[in-house]
Amino acid sequence: SERQMMVSMLGMVSAILTAIDIVSGVILFIMMLILGNTIAMGVRERIPQYGMLRAIGFGPQHVATAVVAEGVVLGLLGGLLGLGMAYPLVNGLLGPALEENMTGWFPYFNVPPAMAGLAVGLAVLLSAVAALPPAWQAFRMNVVEAVRRVG
């Protein structure tokens, strides 16, 4: 019957959406690892500078906070850049075209402001989490070895 066909089609669409959710989560995790690696490389390159900060009186928590703050700023800028590109594309160009031509499949296709805020907040949170291991490395560094190291 038509009802069974619709239930079957919704089951397939649900499976596809679940697979897309899983792939999206994996991609977010991989991007977090890439960001953490990038921050760690930056920390390793700036060990002499962090050592000098420690030598002139900054505490290890100040250096670690600077590393996490750098990660948060990177996440905020990345989230805002992604939102700045996606929001006009989806809400201004793609969304109205899909809503007009494929109403049965996409009755509403837009990025609500709450979801946009959640995306930027998630970008900031994930970047802060990615910055924690490099911040721990900067927190534990030996001041004498850091200052002695030549960049």
Side-chain angles (χ1 to χ4, degrees), residues 11-88:
M12 288 187 300
V13 169
S14 174
I16 291 171
L17 290 177
T18 302
I20 290 173
D21 286 344
I22 291 170
V23 169
S24 296
V26 169
I27 290 172
L28 279 174
F29 181 72
I30 291 170
M31 293 303 294
M32 187 176 72
L33 291 176
I34 291 170
L35 180 63
N37 185 42
T38 303
I39 294 170
M41 287 173 30
V43 166
R44 279 191 295 273
E45 289 176 2
R46 290 190 302 265
I47 283 180
Q49 288 88 355
Y50 291 142
M52 288 304 293
L53 286 174
R54 293 281 310 278
I56 64 173
F58 285 90
Q61 69 275 9
H62 295 113
V63 174
T65 302
V67 172
V68 172
E70 176 186 355
V72 167
V73 168
L74 280 174
L76 180 65
L77 291 176
L80 290 176
L81 179 66
L83 183 64
M85 291 177 3
Y87 202 80

Side-chain angles (χ1 to χ4, degrees), residues 71-142:
V72 167
V73 168
L74 280 174
L76 180 65
L77 291 176
L80 290 176
L81 179 66
L83 183 64
M85 291 177 3
Y87 202 80
L89 179 69
V90 172
N91 285 3
L93 183 66
L94 189 60
L98 285 175
E99 288 174 1
E100 182 179 325
N101 296 317
M102 299 181 75
T103 306
W105 287 92
F106 301 106
Y108 304 106
F109 194 85
N110 61 9
V111 178
M115 188 61 65
L118 178 67
V120 172
L122 187 61
V124 169
L125 177 70
L126 289 177
S127 63
V129 169
L132 289 177
W136 180 250
Q137 177 189 7
F139 183 84
R140 292 184 40 226
M141 76 176 162
N142 184 346

